[in-house]
Amino acid sequence: MAHNSNVLLPEMIRVGTLVSDDYLFPEMQVPIRITEHGIEITISWNNVDAISNLWTDDVINIAEIAEIQDQDIYPVPRNLWFYDIDGSIALLNCRKYSMTEVIGGNGGARGTIIADCAVMGARLHTNYQKIYGLRTSIAGLRQWIGNSNIERKRPSNRNSRNRSETLIIRSPDDIRLQNNPLGYIHFDWSLSYSSKDDTCTINDKTYIETRSSHLLSWQSARHLSKAIQDLLRISYGEDRDLTESQVLRSPDTAATANEEIANEWLPITEGIQERHKPKYDRGLIQYAELKEDGVQKWLSLYDQIPRAIDPIVTSFTLDKATPEVRLLEAGSGLEALGYYLLKADGKNKKDANKFSFKDRLKRITENLKDILPFEVNNWILQTTSAYNGIKHANRKRPDKIVCLNSWQKAVLTFRCWIALNLGIDKDILKSRAELDHMRVGYKLLWDENK
């Protein structure tokens, strides 16, 4: 089989054998494909049997319903495995999705199972609910880190007519994240060939890696990459997708006699997602400017104020959201951040909770007035009015343009607050904020009421 044939791609359907550790769930031939819901497996049956019990709570038109009532109804196994001539796949977090068709009147039907993700190349009957490591690549991560697996050397004689260039491909050593025994920045590369246009492509890769000698939950393994992903989102003020993930199921990564890794990192496939191509290369926070403990400081902050970070990041990464929704998300995050700062100032919970939204914005912007590229006091008044107008039905509903401009400045304020607290120089931050894409306000091009 070809090295890259064990894949799931949009518009591709593979047919192979589905297996389970559940003795009630028989081995069967099924089609499998990737959709926006996840990994979709379709199973069929011609009469009432053990498989149909998976769907009995949905099927109301089966002739042998009396027989089914005497049998135990059991859920879809959480772990399933699939294999065909191209390789094996572990299917994780499986669940019943729908019964799509009843065949005739004899109880036959077709049902759909959805798995959240698939581990490509996994061994059959190996449990991947807990893992020893996770690698994740993020759009723009390599450029942000400022390192590469490729060194380019050109001829020193500029007048030479020989057009040549030497590429040295060598992965830099892992960067271990300070005070995080499980966290690394890992560099890797691969070659891919195209017979169509006879080209060879060097894939220069950088990963955020969590690696442990003991089993981790997926939530624990994903925490580091999610935190760095959100840091890039905040730095650039736009969504940054996870582009590739790999998983490690064994704690041992010893080299074999031929210097290959015995326990390889296996690729993960998840549902089809809309990809966001990075638009901006100017960030407020650059990796090279973070002090030695800068990443660790971010991770600590990330765990301290999730109720501020999550809604504000959501406000500018959520697709197709209205201006009111964006401002509502960002406003709730700023409320949480203001509360956190008041608590850090020594206020108790009761006193901190008494502060108004306007007073919390004032507290957040105490050290930002010389940095932000707009008049802060006017923004506080405008944003307070618009935010309260959305929250309270007895208040005047704010104009959409006001909502958009209040929201955009709210996000830029938060991004600058994060950058300043991670040690970015105040003067450098001010110059970057003045050039940031979120500094420009929205304008109404036409009035629908005229």
Side-chain angles (χ1 to χ4, degrees):
M1 116 183 136
H3 178 70
N4 62 346
S5 60
N6 191 11
V7 295
L8 288 171
L9 301 173
E11 309 301 326
M12 170 193 285
I13 296 177
R14 288 171 59 174
V15 178
T17 305
L18 188 69
V19 298
S20 165
D21 285 338
D22 188 340
Y23 74 95
L24 293 173
F25 197 95
E27 192 171 293
M28 68 192 84
Q29 292 293 300
V30 298
I32 184 173
R33 62 175 183 154
I34 181 173
T35 71
E36 64 273 13
H37 303 295
I39 314 303
E40 182 181 294
I41 308 104
T42 302
I43 67 174
S44 302
W45 63 93
N46 294 323
N47 48 48
V48 176
D49 54 21
I51 288 299
S52 67
N53 283 4
L54 295 169
W55 275 266
T56 51
D57 54 340
D58 293 333
V59 178
I60 59 174
N61 191 24
I62 293 182
E64 296 88 346
I65 191 71
E67 293 182 28
I68 295 175
Q69 290 174 342
D70 295 331
Q71 301 176 30
D72 293 330
I73 298 173
Y74 58 94
V76 170
R78 192 176 184 192
N79 298 313
L80 292 168
W81 293 265
F82 171 93
Y83 67 92
D84 62 7
I85 59 172
D86 289 323
S88 56
I89 303 172
L91 302 164
L92 307 186
N93 300 328
C94 300
R95 63 190 183 279
K96 177 177 61 176
Y97 182 64
S98 66
M99 194 198 75
T100 57
E101 183 179 344
V102 174
I103 304 171
N106 64 350
R110 186 169 69 216
T112 302
I113 295 172
I114 294 291
D116 285 344
C117 70
V119 180
M120 315 304 292
R123 296 179 184 177
L124 298 181
H125 303 289
T126 300
N127 191 330
Y128 279 83
Q129 289 296 334
K130 290 193 173 183
I131 54 180
Y132 285 97
L134 182 71
R135 282 179 184 164
T136 303
S137 184
I138 305 165
L141 177 64
R142 181 175 61 81
Q143 293 83 355
W144 185 68
I145 297 295
N147 215 337
S148 175
N149 296 278
I150 303 172
E151 180 184 351
R152 304 173 69 170
K153 288 189 175 181
R154 295 183 174 91
S156 57
N157 183 1
R158 294 184 179 180
N159 297 322
S160 173
R161 294 185 178 181
N162 295 326
R163 298 182 62 185
S164 65
E165 185 173 25
T166 301
L167 299 180
I168 300 173
I169 309 175
R170 181 172 49 235
S171 294
D173 293 336
D174 290 352
I175 299 175
R176 187 159 194 164
L177 300 181
Q178 294 290 329
N179 301 321
N180 189 329
L182 307 182
Y184 302 84
I185 298 171
H186 176 75
F187 304 93
D188 203 355
W189 58 273
S190 64
L191 297 177
S192 56
Y193 300 90
S194 172
S195 56
K196 263 186 193 177
D197 49 11
D198 197 25
T199 59
C200 173
T201 302
I202 304 171
N203 303 298
D204 193 0
K205 302 179 180 182
T206 303
Y207 298 96
I208 298 299
E209 179 179 303
T210 296
R211 188 170 71 238
S212 173
S213 59
H214 61 273
L215 284 167
L216 301 171
S217 68
W218 280 80
Q219 183 178 1
S220 297
R222 281 175 165 156
H223 181 265
L224 177 61
S225 61
K226 178 65 167 59
I228 301 300
Q229 180 187 23
D230 279 350
L231 181 56
L232 263 70
R233 287 166 161 170
I234 291 168
S235 176
Y236 294 100
E238 65 174 347
D239 206 354
R240 291 297 173 107
D241 290 329
L242 300 179
T243 57
E244 183 184 351
S245 296
Q246 299 175 350
V247 66
L248 182 68
R249 186 56 183 82
S250 170
D252 302 318
T253 54
T256 60
N258 61 358
E259 298 186 350
E260 292 180 355
I261 299 300
N263 299 288
E264 62 183 333
W265 292 80
L266 299 177
I268 299 169
T269 299
E270 297 182 281
I272 299 172
Q273 298 175 348
E274 183 179 350
R275 294 296 181 185
H276 304 88
K277 186 176 180 180
K279 297 178 182 177
Y280 308 106
D281 55 8
R282 288 195 186 108
L284 299 182
I285 305 164
Q286 295 300 320
Y287 174 78
E289 295 168 354
L290 294 176
K291 295 179 179 179
E292 186 173 331
D293 62 345
V295 173
Q296 185 57 40
K297 191 173 182 179
W298 163 247
L299 295 176
S300 298
L301 195 62
Y302 191 73
D303 290 334
Q304 289 171 356
I305 57 169
R307 294 183 69 173
I309 295 170
D310 290 348
I312 294 176
V313 170
T314 297
S315 79
F316 65 88
T317 58
L318 190 65
D319 292 328
K320 300 176 183 177
T322 65
E324 291 88 350
V325 168
R326 293 194 190 280
L327 181 56
L328 197 61
E329 289 283 344
S332 65
L334 291 177
E335 274 200 286
L337 178 58
Y339 177 80
Y340 163 78
L341 292 176
L342 291 166
K343 288 286 301 300
D345 291 340
K347 301 283 191 301
N348 60 41
K349 290 183 179 181
K350 185 176 180 180
D351 289 340
N353 197 48
K354 291 179 181 178
F355 279 72
S356 67
F357 180 68
K358 181 172 71 174
D359 290 334
R360 296 186 194 197
L361 294 186
K362 288 180 179 179
R363 175 61 186 88
I364 292 168
T365 56
E366 276 182 4
N367 299 320
L368 296 175
K369 290 186 177 180
D370 295 334
I371 295 174
L372 294 170
F374 52 82
E375 211 291 311
V376 173
N377 290 329
N378 288 341
W379 167 73
I380 289 175
L381 293 174
Q382 182 188 67
T383 302
T384 300
S385 176
Y387 181 62
N388 286 329
I390 297 170
K391 286 182 66 177
H392 304 289
N394 63 331
R395 304 210 183 181
K396 183 180 178 182
R397 188 173 183 177
D399 180 81
K400 290 185 185 299
I401 295 296
V402 171
C403 286
L404 281 171
N405 287 329
S406 299
W407 157 73
Q408 189 164 250
K409 290 174 182 176
V411 174
L412 181 56
T413 298
F414 176 73
R415 293 169 57 215
C416 287
W417 185 90
I418 292 290
L420 192 62
N421 278 268
L422 294 184
I424 302 302
D425 180 83
K426 198 169 185 177
D427 291 334
I428 292 175
L429 183 56
K430 176 180 172 62
S431 64
R432 288 176 180 167
E434 289 172 347
L435 296 174
D436 192 84
H437 65 95
M438 284 189 165
R439 79 195 185 282
V440 181
Y442 290 88
K443 294 181 180 180
L444 187 64
L445 298 179
W446 70 88
D447 189 344
E448 294 178 351
N449 297 320
K450 288 184 178 180

